[in-house]
Tab-separated table of all heavy atoms in Angstrom:
chain	number	residue	atom	x	y	z
A	1	VAL	N	-12.330	11.895	-6.032
A	1	VAL	CA	-12.345	12.464	-7.387
A	1	VAL	C	-13.534	13.397	-7.556
A	1	VAL	O	-13.398	14.514	-8.073
A	1	VAL	CB	-12.372	11.347	-8.446
A	1	VAL	CG1	-12.622	11.916	-9.833
A	1	VAL	CG2	-11.080	10.549	-8.420
A	2	GLU	N	-14.701	12.968	-7.112
A	2	GLU	CA	-15.900	13.798	-7.230
A	2	GLU	C	-15.743	15.113	-6.478
A	2	GLU	O	-16.107	16.179	-6.985
A	2	GLU	CB	-17.121	13.040	-6.704
A	2	GLU	CG	-18.403	13.819	-6.835
A	2	GLU	CD	-19.617	13.058	-6.310
A	2	GLU	OE1	-19.480	11.900	-5.864
A	2	GLU	OE2	-20.713	13.642	-6.347
A	3	SER	N	-15.168	15.067	-5.278
A	3	SER	CA	-14.990	16.304	-4.504
A	3	SER	C	-14.005	17.245	-5.202
A	3	SER	O	-14.200	18.460	-5.201
A	3	SER	CB	-14.539	16.002	-3.076
A	3	SER	OG	-13.188	15.586	-3.031
A	4	ALA	N	-12.958	16.693	-5.810
A	4	ALA	CA	-11.987	17.523	-6.521
A	4	ALA	C	-12.631	18.172	-7.744
A	4	ALA	O	-12.434	19.367	-8.004
A	4	ALA	CB	-10.777	16.683	-6.936
A	5	GLU	N	-13.409	17.404	-8.491
A	5	GLU	CA	-14.081	17.949	-9.675
A	5	GLU	C	-15.081	19.040	-9.292
A	5	GLU	O	-15.186	20.058	-9.967
A	5	GLU	CB	-14.760	16.829	-10.456
A	5	GLU	CG	-13.757	15.908	-11.127
A	5	GLU	CD	-14.382	14.677	-11.750
A	5	GLU	OE1	-15.555	14.343	-11.428
A	5	GLU	OE2	-13.691	14.028	-12.570
A	6	LYS	N	-15.815	18.830	-8.207
A	6	LYS	CA	-16.767	19.841	-7.746
A	6	LYS	C	-16.053	21.120	-7.295
A	6	LYS	O	-16.532	22.224	-7.551
A	6	LYS	CB	-17.623	19.294	-6.605
A	6	LYS	CG	-18.692	18.336	-7.056
A	6	LYS	CD	-19.523	17.857	-5.883
A	6	LYS	CE	-20.630	16.928	-6.323
A	6	LYS	NZ	-21.435	16.443	-5.202
A	7	ALA	N	-14.916	20.980	-6.623
A	7	ALA	CA	-14.158	22.150	-6.171
A	7	ALA	C	-13.635	22.946	-7.357
A	7	ALA	O	-13.654	24.182	-7.338
A	7	ALA	CB	-13.011	21.723	-5.257
A	8	ILE	N	-13.191	22.262	-8.395
A	8	ILE	CA	-12.725	22.947	-9.599
A	8	ILE	C	-13.874	23.717	-10.233
A	8	ILE	O	-13.739	24.897	-10.574
A	8	ILE	CB	-12.118	21.947	-10.605
A	8	ILE	CG1	-10.793	21.411	-10.085
A	8	ILE	CG2	-11.931	22.603	-11.980
A	8	ILE	CD1	-10.246	20.236	-10.876
A	9	LYS	N	-15.005	23.063	-10.371
A	9	LYS	CA	-16.177	23.717	-10.977
A	9	LYS	C	-16.640	24.906	-10.128
A	9	LYS	O	-16.949	25.973	-10.656
A	9	LYS	CB	-17.309	22.710	-11.141
A	9	LYS	CG	-18.475	23.232	-11.912
A	9	LYS	CD	-19.496	22.142	-12.192
A	9	LYS	CE	-20.612	22.700	-13.042
A	9	LYS	NZ	-21.565	21.683	-13.433
A	10	PHE	N	-16.652	24.746	-8.818
A	10	PHE	CA	-17.082	25.799	-7.903
A	10	PHE	C	-16.178	27.022	-7.997
A	10	PHE	O	-16.637	28.156	-7.936
A	10	PHE	CB	-17.097	25.265	-6.467
A	10	PHE	CG	-17.525	26.264	-5.442
A	10	PHE	CD1	-18.864	26.524	-5.224
A	10	PHE	CD2	-16.582	26.948	-4.685
A	10	PHE	CE1	-19.263	27.449	-4.274
A	10	PHE	CE2	-16.965	27.879	-3.734
A	10	PHE	CZ	-18.319	28.131	-3.526
A	11	SER	N	-14.876	26.784	-8.170
A	11	SER	CA	-13.921	27.891	-8.202
A	11	SER	C	-13.893	28.595	-9.552
A	11	SER	O	-13.257	29.632	-9.690
A	11	SER	CB	-12.522	27.398	-7.852
A	11	SER	OG	-12.069	26.503	-8.850
A	12	ASN	N	-14.554	28.013	-10.541
A	12	ASN	CA	-14.664	28.623	-11.866
A	12	ASN	C	-13.295	28.847	-12.515
A	12	ASN	O	-13.037	29.893	-13.096
A	12	ASN	CB	-15.466	29.921	-11.803
A	12	ASN	CG	-16.017	30.312	-13.156
A	12	ASN	OD1	-16.252	29.460	-14.008
A	12	ASN	ND2	-16.217	31.599	-13.361
A	13	VAL	N	-12.413	27.865	-12.375
A	13	VAL	CA	-11.112	27.887	-13.040
A	13	VAL	C	-10.975	26.603	-13.852
A	13	VAL	O	-11.685	25.623	-13.621
A	13	VAL	CB	-9.927	27.989	-12.051
A	13	VAL	CG1	-9.966	29.280	-11.275
A	13	VAL	CG2	-9.877	26.797	-11.128
A	14	LYS	N	-10.051	26.618	-14.788
A	14	LYS	CA	-9.755	25.394	-15.515
A	14	LYS	C	-8.979	24.486	-14.585
A	14	LYS	O	-8.172	24.943	-13.777
A	14	LYS	CB	-8.926	25.691	-16.756
A	14	LYS	CG	-9.685	26.457	-17.812
A	14	LYS	CD	-8.809	26.674	-19.017
A	14	LYS	CE	-9.576	27.493	-20.049
A	14	LYS	NZ	-8.780	27.697	-21.263
A	15	GLY	N	-9.222	23.217	-14.696
A	15	GLY	CA	-8.525	22.305	-13.816
A	15	GLY	C	-8.517	20.895	-14.349
A	15	GLY	O	-9.228	20.556	-15.285
A	16	GLU	N	-7.674	20.102	-13.736
A	16	GLU	CA	-7.569	18.695	-14.090
A	16	GLU	C	-7.374	17.890	-12.819
A	16	GLU	O	-6.754	18.350	-11.863
A	16	GLU	CB	-6.408	18.460	-15.055
A	16	GLU	CG	-5.043	18.778	-14.464
A	16	GLU	CD	-3.894	18.568	-15.433
A	16	GLU	OE1	-4.081	17.928	-16.484
A	16	GLU	OE2	-2.792	19.054	-15.132
A	17	VAL	N	-7.933	16.692	-12.830
A	17	VAL	CA	-7.720	15.747	-11.747
A	17	VAL	C	-6.850	14.636	-12.320
A	17	VAL	O	-7.193	14.028	-13.330
A	17	VAL	CB	-9.049	15.178	-11.212
A	17	VAL	CG1	-8.791	14.149	-10.122
A	17	VAL	CG2	-9.939	16.296	-10.685
A	18	ILE	N	-5.723	14.404	-11.688
A	18	ILE	CA	-4.773	13.404	-12.158
A	18	ILE	C	-4.744	12.258	-11.156
A	18	ILE	O	-4.384	12.450	-9.993
A	18	ILE	CB	-3.365	14.003	-12.301
A	18	ILE	CG1	-3.379	15.142	-13.315
A	18	ILE	CG2	-2.358	12.923	-12.684
A	18	ILE	CD1	-2.098	15.944	-13.355
A	19	LEU	N	-5.129	11.081	-11.615
A	19	LEU	CA	-5.018	9.883	-10.791
A	19	LEU	C	-3.693	9.225	-11.110
A	19	LEU	O	-3.369	8.988	-12.273
A	19	LEU	CB	-6.160	8.916	-11.082
A	19	LEU	CG	-7.560	9.435	-10.779
A	19	LEU	CD1	-8.599	8.406	-11.192
A	19	LEU	CD2	-7.697	9.771	-9.317
A	20	SER	N	-2.914	8.962	-10.091
A	20	SER	CA	-1.602	8.348	-10.283
A	20	SER	C	-1.535	7.109	-9.413
A	20	SER	O	-1.535	7.205	-8.188
A	20	SER	CB	-0.500	9.345	-9.919
A	20	SER	OG	0.758	8.784	-10.147
A	21	GLN	N	-1.480	5.949	-10.054
A	21	GLN	CA	-1.532	4.691	-9.331
A	21	GLN	C	-0.453	3.735	-9.808
A	21	GLN	O	-0.233	3.570	-11.008
A	21	GLN	CB	-2.908	4.039	-9.534
A	21	GLN	CG	-3.172	2.813	-8.716
A	21	GLN	CD	-2.705	1.509	-9.356
A	21	GLN	OE1	-2.598	1.396	-10.558
A	21	GLN	NE2	-2.424	0.542	-8.522
A	22	SER	N	0.256	3.140	-8.863
A	22	SER	CA	1.178	2.045	-9.120
A	22	SER	C	1.461	1.384	-7.774
A	22	SER	O	1.097	1.901	-6.725
A	22	SER	CB	2.477	2.527	-9.769
A	22	SER	OG	3.335	3.069	-8.802
A	23	GLU	N	2.144	0.283	-7.822
A	23	GLU	CA	2.507	-0.448	-6.603
A	23	GLU	C	3.756	0.111	-5.923
A	23	GLU	O	4.186	-0.404	-4.905
A	23	GLU	CB	2.720	-1.931	-6.933
A	23	GLU	CG	1.470	-2.625	-7.437
A	23	GLU	CD	0.359	-2.654	-6.396
A	23	GLU	OE1	0.647	-2.830	-5.198
A	23	GLU	OE2	-0.808	-2.476	-6.801
A	24	ASN	N	4.339	1.179	-6.474
A	24	ASN	CA	5.601	1.720	-5.960
A	24	ASN	C	5.443	2.669	-4.784
A	24	ASN	O	6.424	3.228	-4.315
A	24	ASN	CB	6.370	2.413	-7.080
A	24	ASN	CG	6.822	1.435	-8.137
A	24	ASN	OD1	7.201	0.313	-7.835
A	24	ASN	ND2	6.761	1.840	-9.383
A	25	GLY	N	4.233	2.913	-4.325
A	25	GLY	CA	4.023	3.750	-3.153
A	25	GLY	C	3.485	5.128	-3.490
A	25	GLY	O	3.548	5.593	-4.627
A	26	VAL	N	2.954	5.776	-2.473
A	26	VAL	CA	2.295	7.069	-2.646
A	26	VAL	C	3.279	8.149	-3.091
A	26	VAL	O	2.971	8.950	-3.971
A	26	VAL	CB	1.559	7.478	-1.346
A	26	VAL	CG1	1.009	8.885	-1.459
A	26	VAL	CG2	0.440	6.496	-1.044
A	27	SER	N	4.475	8.191	-2.518
A	27	SER	CA	5.450	9.220	-2.895
A	27	SER	C	5.822	9.109	-4.367
A	27	SER	O	5.896	10.109	-5.083
A	27	SER	CB	6.717	9.109	-2.052
A	27	SER	OG	6.423	9.358	-0.705
A	28	TYR	N	6.048	7.894	-4.840
A	28	TYR	CA	6.349	7.669	-6.251
A	28	TYR	C	5.183	8.138	-7.121
A	28	TYR	O	5.381	8.817	-8.126
A	28	TYR	CB	6.624	6.179	-6.488
A	28	TYR	CG	6.814	5.825	-7.936
A	28	TYR	CD1	8.051	5.984	-8.543
A	28	TYR	CD2	5.766	5.323	-8.697
A	28	TYR	CE1	8.238	5.658	-9.873
A	28	TYR	CE2	5.940	5.004	-10.026
A	28	TYR	CZ	7.176	5.168	-10.611
A	28	TYR	OH	7.348	4.853	-11.932
A	29	ASN	N	3.978	7.792	-6.718
A	29	ASN	CA	2.798	8.180	-7.493
A	29	ASN	C	2.588	9.689	-7.489
A	29	ASN	O	2.161	10.260	-8.494
A	29	ASN	CB	1.556	7.456	-6.966
A	29	ASN	CG	1.624	5.972	-7.220
A	29	ASN	OD1	2.180	5.530	-8.213
A	29	ASN	ND2	1.078	5.199	-6.309
A	30	LEU	N	2.882	10.343	-6.386
A	30	LEU	CA	2.778	11.800	-6.324
A	30	LEU	C	3.769	12.438	-7.299
A	30	LEU	O	3.413	13.338	-8.063
A	30	LEU	CB	3.022	12.302	-4.901
A	30	LEU	CG	2.968	13.810	-4.697
A	30	LEU	CD1	1.631	14.385	-5.127
A	30	LEU	CD2	3.242	14.152	-3.249
A	31	ASN	N	4.986	11.958	-7.308
A	31	ASN	CA	5.983	12.497	-8.236
A	31	ASN	C	5.603	12.253	-9.691
A	31	ASN	O	5.802	13.119	-10.545
A	31	ASN	CB	7.367	11.906	-7.940
A	31	ASN	CG	7.957	12.467	-6.668
A	31	ASN	OD1	7.740	13.625	-6.341
A	31	ASN	ND2	8.694	11.653	-5.945
A	32	ARG	N	5.036	11.102	-9.994
A	32	ARG	CA	4.554	10.829	-11.356
A	32	ARG	C	3.440	11.796	-11.723
A	32	ARG	O	3.361	12.276	-12.850
A	32	ARG	CB	4.041	9.394	-11.471
A	32	ARG	CG	5.119	8.419	-11.785
A	32	ARG	CD	4.616	7.045	-12.102
A	32	ARG	NE	3.318	7.039	-12.761
A	32	ARG	CZ	2.556	5.983	-12.900
A	32	ARG	NH1	2.965	4.830	-12.426
A	32	ARG	NH2	1.404	6.035	-13.505
A	33	GLY	N	2.557	12.079	-10.778
A	33	GLY	CA	1.476	13.029	-11.028
A	33	GLY	C	2.004	14.431	-11.286
A	33	GLY	O	1.512	15.138	-12.164
A	34	ILE	N	3.008	14.846	-10.525
A	34	ILE	CA	3.605	16.166	-10.718
A	34	ILE	C	4.214	16.272	-12.115
A	34	ILE	O	4.089	17.299	-12.782
A	34	ILE	CB	4.657	16.461	-9.622
A	34	ILE	CG1	3.959	16.644	-8.270
A	34	ILE	CG2	5.486	17.683	-9.967
A	34	ILE	CD1	4.892	16.689	-7.081
A	35	GLU	N	4.852	15.215	-12.568
A	35	GLU	CA	5.433	15.210	-13.918
A	35	GLU	C	4.361	15.407	-14.994
A	35	GLU	O	4.614	16.022	-16.020
A	35	GLU	CB	6.169	13.896	-14.172
A	35	GLU	CG	7.448	13.749	-13.383
A	35	GLU	CD	8.047	12.355	-13.499
A	35	GLU	OE1	7.470	11.483	-14.185
A	35	GLU	OE2	9.102	12.133	-12.886
A	36	ARG	N	3.164	14.884	-14.763
A	36	ARG	CA	2.082	14.974	-15.755
A	36	ARG	C	1.248	16.240	-15.623
A	36	ARG	O	0.492	16.586	-16.527
A	36	ARG	CB	1.161	13.749	-15.616
A	36	ARG	CG	1.869	12.477	-15.982
A	36	ARG	CD	1.055	11.207	-15.837
A	36	ARG	NE	-0.353	11.340	-15.630
A	36	ARG	CZ	-1.084	10.532	-14.869
A	36	ARG	NH1	-0.511	9.536	-14.213
A	36	ARG	NH2	-2.382	10.703	-14.741
A	37	ALA	N	1.359	16.933	-14.504
A	37	ALA	CA	0.514	18.106	-14.232
A	37	ALA	C	0.815	19.241	-15.212
A	37	ALA	O	1.961	19.506	-15.531
A	37	ALA	CB	0.734	18.576	-12.800
A	38	LYS	N	-0.258	19.907	-15.632
A	38	LYS	CA	-0.133	21.028	-16.549
A	38	LYS	C	-0.608	22.339	-15.924
A	38	LYS	O	-0.611	23.367	-16.576
A	38	LYS	CB	-0.930	20.742	-17.816
A	38	LYS	CG	-0.361	19.582	-18.615
A	38	LYS	CD	-1.121	19.396	-19.898
A	38	LYS	CE	-0.451	18.417	-20.803
A	38	LYS	NZ	-0.650	17.054	-20.544
A	39	GLY	N	-1.032	22.296	-14.682
A	39	GLY	CA	-1.553	23.485	-14.019
A	39	GLY	C	-0.472	24.425	-13.530
A	39	GLY	O	0.659	24.017	-13.276
A	40	GLU	N	-0.865	25.683	-13.406
A	40	GLU	CA	0.027	26.673	-12.809
A	40	GLU	C	0.128	26.444	-11.301
A	40	GLU	O	1.130	26.768	-10.678
A	40	GLU	CB	-0.504	28.072	-13.081
A	40	GLU	CG	-0.540	28.432	-14.554
A	40	GLU	CD	-1.337	29.698	-14.792
A	40	GLU	OE1	-0.979	30.739	-14.214
A	40	GLU	OE2	-2.321	29.626	-15.542
A	41	LEU	N	-0.943	25.941	-10.729
A	41	LEU	CA	-0.979	25.573	-9.317
A	41	LEU	C	-1.173	24.067	-9.241
A	41	LEU	O	-1.969	23.498	-9.985
A	41	LEU	CB	-2.126	26.270	-8.593
A	41	LEU	CG	-2.073	27.791	-8.565
A	41	LEU	CD1	-3.363	28.340	-7.953
A	41	LEU	CD2	-0.876	28.277	-7.772
A	42	ILE	N	-0.446	23.428	-8.343
A	42	ILE	CA	-0.537	21.981	-8.166
A	42	ILE	C	-0.799	21.693	-6.702
A	42	ILE	O	-0.152	22.257	-5.822
A	42	ILE	CB	0.766	21.287	-8.598
A	42	ILE	CG1	1.052	21.550	-10.075
A	42	ILE	CG2	0.693	19.787	-8.326
A	42	ILE	CD1	2.410	21.038	-10.535
A	43	THR	N	-1.752	20.818	-6.462
A	43	THR	CA	-2.007	20.355	-5.104
A	43	THR	C	-2.262	18.862	-5.163
A	43	THR	O	-2.418	18.295	-6.245
A	43	THR	CB	-3.192	21.103	-4.460
A	43	THR	OG1	-3.253	20.783	-3.067
A	43	THR	CG2	-4.508	20.764	-5.130
A	44	TYR	N	-2.283	18.233	-4.019
A	44	TYR	CA	-2.617	16.819	-4.022
A	44	TYR	C	-3.675	16.540	-2.972
A	44	TYR	O	-3.873	17.295	-2.024
A	44	TYR	CB	-1.376	15.945	-3.812
A	44	TYR	CG	-0.907	15.830	-2.388
A	44	TYR	CD1	-1.301	14.758	-1.601
A	44	TYR	CD2	-0.070	16.779	-1.838
A	44	TYR	CE1	-0.869	14.641	-0.296
A	44	TYR	CE2	0.372	16.670	-0.539
A	44	TYR	CZ	-0.033	15.600	0.230
A	44	TYR	OH	0.391	15.482	1.525
A	45	LEU	N	-4.351	15.444	-3.198
A	45	LEU	CA	-5.427	15.026	-2.314
A	45	LEU	C	-5.231	13.548	-2.040
A	45	LEU	O	-5.028	12.765	-2.974
A	45	LEU	CB	-6.771	15.268	-3.016
A	45	LEU	CG	-8.044	14.942	-2.274
A	45	LEU	CD1	-8.210	15.850	-1.063
A	45	LEU	CD2	-9.241	15.103	-3.199
A	46	CYS	N	-5.250	13.168	-0.782
A	46	CYS	CA	-5.170	11.748	-0.462
A	46	CYS	C	-6.432	11.054	-0.950
A	46	CYS	O	-7.504	11.658	-1.011
A	46	CYS	CB	-5.009	11.550	1.043
A	46	CYS	SG	-3.454	12.183	1.674
A	47	ASP	N	-6.309	9.795	-1.284
A	47	ASP	CA	-7.430	9.072	-1.873
A	47	ASP	C	-8.592	8.864	-0.903
A	47	ASP	O	-9.694	8.536	-1.328
A	47	ASP	CB	-6.977	7.732	-2.436
A	47	ASP	CG	-6.476	6.783	-1.363
A	47	ASP	OD1	-5.774	7.238	-0.438
A	47	ASP	OD2	-6.781	5.574	-1.461
A	48	ASP	N	-8.381	9.105	0.371
A	48	ASP	CA	-9.473	8.948	1.336
A	48	ASP	C	-9.914	10.291	1.930
A	48	ASP	O	-10.560	10.332	2.964
A	48	ASP	CB	-9.091	7.979	2.446
A	48	ASP	CG	-7.880	8.426	3.254
A	48	ASP	OD1	-7.221	9.408	2.846
A	48	ASP	OD2	-7.605	7.792	4.282
């Protein structure tokens, strides 16, 4: 999370970090995150 926030600040663009967590697996959580995303560009970062 810290690295994502620093990258957003460094790039001087508006951004959001979306944490998506459930017991249903990473693919499910990624899709839930995409549904909540408001950015024009969307990327994902593994938790490690």
Side-chain angles (χ1 to χ4, degrees):
V1 170
E2 182 180 358
S3 73
E5 290 172 344
K6 284 181 178 179
I8 290 169
K9 188 173 183 175
F10 180 81
S11 65
N12 200 27
V13 297
K14 292 182 182 182
E16 64 181 346
V17 178
I18 299 170
L19 298 177
S20 182
Q21 187 273 334
S22 80
E23 297 297 322
N24 294 323
V26 173
S27 296
Y28 174 84
N29 293 327
L30 179 58
N31 287 326
R32 274 189 32 194
I34 291 169
E35 289 172 359
R36 294 178 12 215
K38 294 184 171 80
E40 297 168 58
L41 298 173
I42 299 173
T43 190
Y44 79 95
L45 182 65
C46 294
D47 65 320
D48 61 351

